[in-house]
DNA sequence: AAAAAATTTCAACGAATGATGAAATTTGCC
DNA sequence: GGCAAATTTCATCATTCGTTGAAATTTTTT
């Protein structure tokens, strides 16, 4: 059976090399940056932030860990790029809520904060972790990079709340920064936990629990800051 | 200079052993379990959850990492013991809030949740991380162990809210479980972030920012669930 | 066809981690 | 004094991690 191989080896032939040929060099489907970022998100979704090692991402992408260093400058640079792609749109949409030409009420626009978070961050626990400033081993500098992006967006929401105070929709003793913090931060917690806790603790199916909790949260929040808390919030009953 | 050492080594003398004598065996001040748990908390406070390696804790305690395996069964067992000591009292106090003989109003008792969290968890970010269910490398099983302890306490708060609904203090359309989740979870976020964010974003000194945010949060929360939201909350102005 | 550039993998380094078994030292008991 | 139990450290193992430099292969350019 293996006598042929043994004879070949005797003549100095690198048998290993023939049986498992090396595969270096460009593939038919080149590994581009977006593919690696997709892989990172997939690892996030499957193994959480703690699973976000370079090796795990490369495994997911079906390539060698070195590819990460070819396309980005290290792990840090890769997450920087991931942020640009993932959190960039969130920040843009949040900033747009401040637009004075927006015809919607302040309440509905604040509800928009929750909708935007839900839409962009509902799927990836890892992305929420990043946004929340959690730390990834080997990419500790990411934290500051995120706050630099997110703070202006939160500032826009604060401005929106100030606008609501001026218009008389929101109680004047509301602290805009705190209220912004409460609104946005709680939505992150809801997205993280309610899909797990809802079925387990309250027996609500996961897909129903999330919207229920979000609506419950916004009703509580708005009632907590509104000048006229009894006014109905019709936009909550849509979709 | 080192010729003597070389001559000694030639005769088979273990020079290293003479220059740095071994120090095995019991110390004058024995390392007991509590000391190790204190060290773990200190590491938490200084380096956060990610710094909670066995080696870091042993370094803090001034002993060898092996001591952890002598006193506890591995890293997991050690955090189990830390929970027993640290989170046990929190849970006990939370359960006591449900006591029907407590003369305080429902509002004041819900404010008690925030006070209890503040008192027991304000100092250690790591403890909050544990309570929040964050994962520690090498002690992944801790998560379940925590939820098992915390869920009954959160159930007690939910009962308290139900009691408030029965008494007519809390709006009947309030979902007790969600409200409990909002109240407790937000306090964790406040303890984590406001001391950092307050000075940086709003220019408020760290020690003032925390109580301000907690009071702002509870006012918002209570206004969000109360039947009579305009009723004053005098206990908020104490201390 | 030859040379240069681009893409991919390989092999390895140094560091950190959780864990273990054995050795060394002290303490307490008979 | 001798002996067993308790306490502490040492040396080491197997993993995993981020990172790097060189080799191999394909593609593009000359």
């Amino acid at each position: 059976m293996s006598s042929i191989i043994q004879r070949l080896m005797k003549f100095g032939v690198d048998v290993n090399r023939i049986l498992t040929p090396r595969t270096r060099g460009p593939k038919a489907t080149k590994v581009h940056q977006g593919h690696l970022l997709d892989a990172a998100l997939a690892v996030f979704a499957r193994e959480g932030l703690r699973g976000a090692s370079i090796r795990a991402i490369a495994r997911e992408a079906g390539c060698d860990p070195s590819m990460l260093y070819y396309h980005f400058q290290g792990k840090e640079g890769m997450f920087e790029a991931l942020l640009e792609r993932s959190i960039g749109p969130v920040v843009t949409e949040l900033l747009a809520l401040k637009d004075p030409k927006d015809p919607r009420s302040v309440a509905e626009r604040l509800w928009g904060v929750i909708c935007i978070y839900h839409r962009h961050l509902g799927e990836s626990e890892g992305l929420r972790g990043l946004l929340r400033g959690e730390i990834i081993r080997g990419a500790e500098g990411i934290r500051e990079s995120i706050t630099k992006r997110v703070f202006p967006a939160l500032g826009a929401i604060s401005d929106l709340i100030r606008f609501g105070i001026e218009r008389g929709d929101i109680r004047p003793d509301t602290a805009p920064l705190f209220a912004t913090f409460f609104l946005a931060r709680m939505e992150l917690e809801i997205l993280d936990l309610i899909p797990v806790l809802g079925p387990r603790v309250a027996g609500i199916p996961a897909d129903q629990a999330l919207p229920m909790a979000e609506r419950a949260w916004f009703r509580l929040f708005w009632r907590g800051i509104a000048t006229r808390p009894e006014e109905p919030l019709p936009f909550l009953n849509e979709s």
Side-chain angles (χ1 to χ4, degrees), chain A residues 107-203:
Chain A
E108 188 167 359
R109 280 193 271 175
L110 287 178
W111 170 245
V113 174
I114 289 182
C115 296
I116 291 169
Y117 267 53
H118 182 117
R119 198 161 355 104
H120 286 98
L121 304 167
E123 299 294 311
S124 172
E125 176 204 326
L127 223 50
R128 295 194 294 274
L130 281 184
L131 193 74
R132 208 188 281 113
E134 279 171 29
I135 281 181
I136 289 192
R137 279 235 305 181
E140 280 79 5
I142 284 297
R143 197 178 219 156
E144 192 161 354
S145 171
I146 292 171
T147 56
K148 206 178 293 175
R149 285 165 209 265
V150 174
F151 274 18
L154 297 183
I157 304 177
S158 294
D159 288 344
L160 183 55
I161 291 181
R162 281 193 202 89
F163 176 67
I165 295 176
E166 284 171 24
R167 286 203 21 182
D169 296 328
I170 296 177
R171 303 172 48 89
D173 61 345
T174 305
L177 277 171
F178 284 157
T180 303
F181 174 79
F182 299 152
L183 176 65
R185 203 77 183 178
M186 183 57 80
E187 172 63 6
L188 280 185
E189 297 293 303
I190 291 174
L191 288 172
D192 263 348
L193 282 164
I194 295 298
V196 180
L197 250 48
R200 180 165 168 186
V201 178

Side-chain angles (χ1 to χ4, degrees), chain A residues 3-238:
Chain A
S3 67
I4 298 175
I5 294 178
Q6 286 172 1
R7 298 250 310 257
L8 283 171
M9 285 173 71
K10 237 178 185 171
F11 281 90
V13 176
D14 190 345
V15 178
N16 244 354
R17 178 67 165 286
I18 294 173
L19 292 179
T20 61
R22 301 215 171 160
T23 52
R24 290 194 258 207
K27 292 179 183 173
T29 61
K30 288 183 191 169
V31 178
H32 54 291
Q33 301 198 5
H35 184 52
L36 288 172
L37 299 183
D38 291 343
L41 278 182
V43 171
F44 275 170
R46 184 159 26 81
E47 312 192 38
L49 263 193
R50 79 182 184 287
S53 73
I54 284 189
R55 287 171 154 92
I57 294 170
R59 211 177 306 132
E60 173 73 29
C63 66
D64 191 88
S66 303
M67 288 307 292
L68 266 151
Y69 293 86
Y70 181 72
H71 281 298
F72 311 99
Q73 39 195 37
K75 192 172 184 180
E76 195 116 3
M78 149 153 203
F79 283 111
E80 202 83 43
L82 184 59
L83 287 178
E84 192 75 49
R85 201 186 71 165
S86 302
I87 300 200
V90 182
V91 170
T92 306
E93 285 196 41
L94 289 178
L95 287 172
L97 288 176
K98 193 183 160 187
D99 180 11
K101 286 176 222 141
D102 194 321
R104 293 176 295 173
S105 68
V106 172
E108 188 167 359
R109 280 193 271 175
L110 287 178
W111 170 245
V113 174
I114 289 182
C115 296
I116 291 169
Y117 267 53
H118 182 117
R119 198 161 355 104
H120 286 98
L121 304 167
E123 299 294 311
S124 172
E125 176 204 326
L127 223 50
R128 295 194 294 274
L130 281 184
L131 193 74
R132 208 188 281 113
E134 279 171 29
I135 281 181
I136 289 192
R137 279 235 305 181
E140 280 79 5
I142 284 297
R143 197 178 219 156
E144 192 161 354
S145 171
I146 292 171
T147 56
K148 206 178 293 175
R149 285 165 209 265
V150 174
F151 274 18
L154 297 183
I157 304 177
S158 294
D159 288 344
L160 183 55
I161 291 181
R162 281 193 202 89
F163 176 67
I165 295 176
E166 284 171 24
R167 286 203 21 182
D169 296 328
I170 296 177
R171 303 172 48 89
D173 61 345
T174 305
L177 277 171
F178 284 157
T180 303
F181 174 79
F182 299 152
L183 176 65
R185 203 77 183 178
M186 183 57 80
E187 172 63 6
L188 280 185
E189 297 293 303
I190 291 174
L191 288 172
D192 263 348
L193 282 164
I194 295 298
V196 180
L197 250 48
R200 180 165 168 186
V201 178
I204 313 171
D207 54 331
Q208 294 177 31
L210 195 48
M212 277 179 68
E214 286 172 339
R215 285 171 168 77
W217 164 236
F218 188 77
R219 281 204 192 89
L220 193 160
F221 175 79
W222 180 251
R223 214 186 287 279
I225 66 170
T227 315
R228 297 173 297 277
E230 298 301 331
E231 244 173 38
L233 304 172
F235 52 86
L236 276 190
N237 301 321
E238 291 169 13

